[in-house]
């Protein structure tokens, strides 16, 4: 079945550091790929998405490129801020008879220190 | 404002006492879903609904029921909760391009 493997956390960085959170997936066909972010005490919010190979999703300075050859969707940001501290989830979606189920990775907790 | 509203946010109950977690969305989405989040496991789908009166099991449906009598509401029912259902629950509704919107979560403890 479908699965998503993402970098184990927690990750702690200093403000303005470069961030990479690795994500790889296993799925048949052509899934859509997502990064969701969960701030403390809140639900998940979509951060960015890509729907086909070589697409780059971007939002709030974060980027991720859909790499079909390596089945990866790594999240990057050039200069992190304290406000980026959250849990980040990589996910895929492959519509299956109308079920738009998201398959999530286990999440990576990111802490940015001033 | 587009939103998915879950209630209650926190719930402590005892084994066997029936409970319902409500979920409502104001985006006129046809697709709604319930997930549970557990440490080290990420989020796993419990049930989903493609439209009114159309529901089906996700990956971990045992011990749960749902109903979809109206488009905006998708309650999660635990008829006889057990301690292994202690978890953080999220309701989601889906729009275009597979984008799903999540509620703020319900933290359930079953003693």
């Amino acid at each position: 079945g479908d699965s998503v493997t993402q970098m184990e956390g927690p990750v702690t960085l200093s403000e303005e550091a470069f961030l990479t959170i690795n994500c790889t997936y296993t799925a048949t066909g052509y899934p859509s790929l997502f990064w969701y972010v969960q701030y403390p005490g809140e639900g998940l919010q979509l951060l960015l998405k890509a729907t086909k190979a070589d697409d780059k999703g971007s939002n709030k300075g974060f980027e991720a490129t859909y790499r079909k050859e390596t089945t990866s969707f790594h999240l990057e940001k050039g200069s992190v801020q304290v406000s980026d501290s959250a849990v980040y989830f990589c996910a895929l979606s492959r519509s299956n008879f109308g079920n738009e189920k998201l398959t999530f990775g286990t999440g990576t907790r990111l802490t940015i220190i001033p | 404002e587009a939103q998915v509203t879950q209630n209650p946010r926190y719930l402590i109950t005892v084994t066997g006492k029936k409970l319902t977690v409500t979920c409502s969305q104001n985006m006129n989405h046809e697709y709604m879903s319930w997930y549970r989040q557990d440490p080290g496991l990420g989020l796993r789908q419990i049930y989903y609904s493609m439209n009114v009166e159309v529901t089906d099991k996700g990956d971990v449906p045992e011990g749960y029921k749902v109903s979809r009598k109206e488009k905006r509401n998708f309650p999660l029912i635990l008829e006889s909760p057990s301690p292994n259902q202690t978890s953080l629950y999220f309701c989601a509704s889906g729009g275009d391009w597979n984008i799903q919107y999540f509620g703020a979560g319900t933290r359930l403890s079953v003693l």
Side-chain angles (χ1 to χ4, degrees):
Chain A
D2 298 343
S3 67
V4 175
T5 302
Q6 65 179 100
M7 182 173 168
E8 292 280 337
V11 174
T12 302
L13 296 173
S14 297
E15 205 166 20
E16 299 183 4
F18 184 85
L19 168 70
T20 300
I21 301 177
N22 290 335
C23 171
T24 57
Y25 68 90
T26 301
T28 55
Y30 301 93
S32 296
L33 302 176
F34 305 84
W35 278 99
Y36 278 83
V37 58
Q38 185 179 30
Y39 298 104
E42 299 184 12
L44 282 74
Q45 304 173 23
L46 178 67
L47 180 59
L48 53 84
K49 67 177 178 66
T51 56
K52 61 183 188 297
D54 300 324
D55 266 2
K56 178 184 282 188
S58 61
N59 186 25
K60 299 181 181 180
F62 291 89
E63 293 183 340
T65 301
Y66 190 144
R67 301 284 188 202
K68 191 161 179 61
E69 65 276 12
T70 54
T71 62
S72 65
F73 193 56
H74 305 320
L75 182 68
E76 297 182 335
K77 186 175 186 183
S79 177
V80 293
Q81 306 300 313
V82 172
S83 57
D84 294 328
S85 297
V87 181
Y88 292 81
F89 290 91
C90 185
L92 69 82
S93 176
R94 190 169 55 84
S95 183
N96 184 12
F97 299 102
N99 183 11
E100 307 291 341
K101 181 181 80 170
L102 287 162
T103 299
F104 287 90
T106 54
T108 302
R109 182 175 299 277
L110 173 67
T111 302
I112 307 300
I113 53 177
Chain B
E1 180 190 354
Q3 59 185 4
V4 178
T5 304
Q6 290 178 232
N7 281 296
R9 292 290 311 277
Y10 302 92
L11 181 58
I12 301 174
T13 190
V14 296
T15 299
K17 186 176 181 182
K18 181 178 179 180
L19 66 92
T20 299
V21 183
T22 64
C23 174
S24 179
Q25 52 98 359
N26 64 359
M27 294 167 279
N28 202 36
H29 289 158
E30 292 183 346
Y31 181 84
M32 297 185 74
S33 183
W34 276 101
Y35 293 85
R36 61 177 287 174
Q37 182 182 11
D38 300 291
L41 296 175
L43 282 81
R44 295 174 293 167
Q45 189 186 53
I46 303 170
Y47 267 93
Y48 68 95
S49 170
M50 291 187 286
N51 213 328
V52 175
E53 302 293 0
V54 181
T55 64
D56 208 346
K57 298 176 181 178
D59 295 323
V60 288
E62 293 76 23
Y64 303 96
K65 286 177 57 177
V66 292
S67 70
R68 188 90 181 274
K69 293 183 169 54
E70 306 165 281
K71 198 173 190 179
R72 63 182 290 123
N73 296 323
F74 190 44
L76 179 69
I77 303 156
L78 285 72
E79 296 216 321
S80 184
S82 62
N84 65 10
Q85 293 178 297
T86 292
S87 187
L88 179 57
Y89 291 87
F90 289 101
C91 180
S93 73
D96 295 333
W97 302 106
N98 306 112
I99 296 172
Q100 294 190 30
Y101 299 83
F102 285 79
T106 296
R107 187 169 292 282
L108 172 65
S109 293
V110 182
L111 305 178

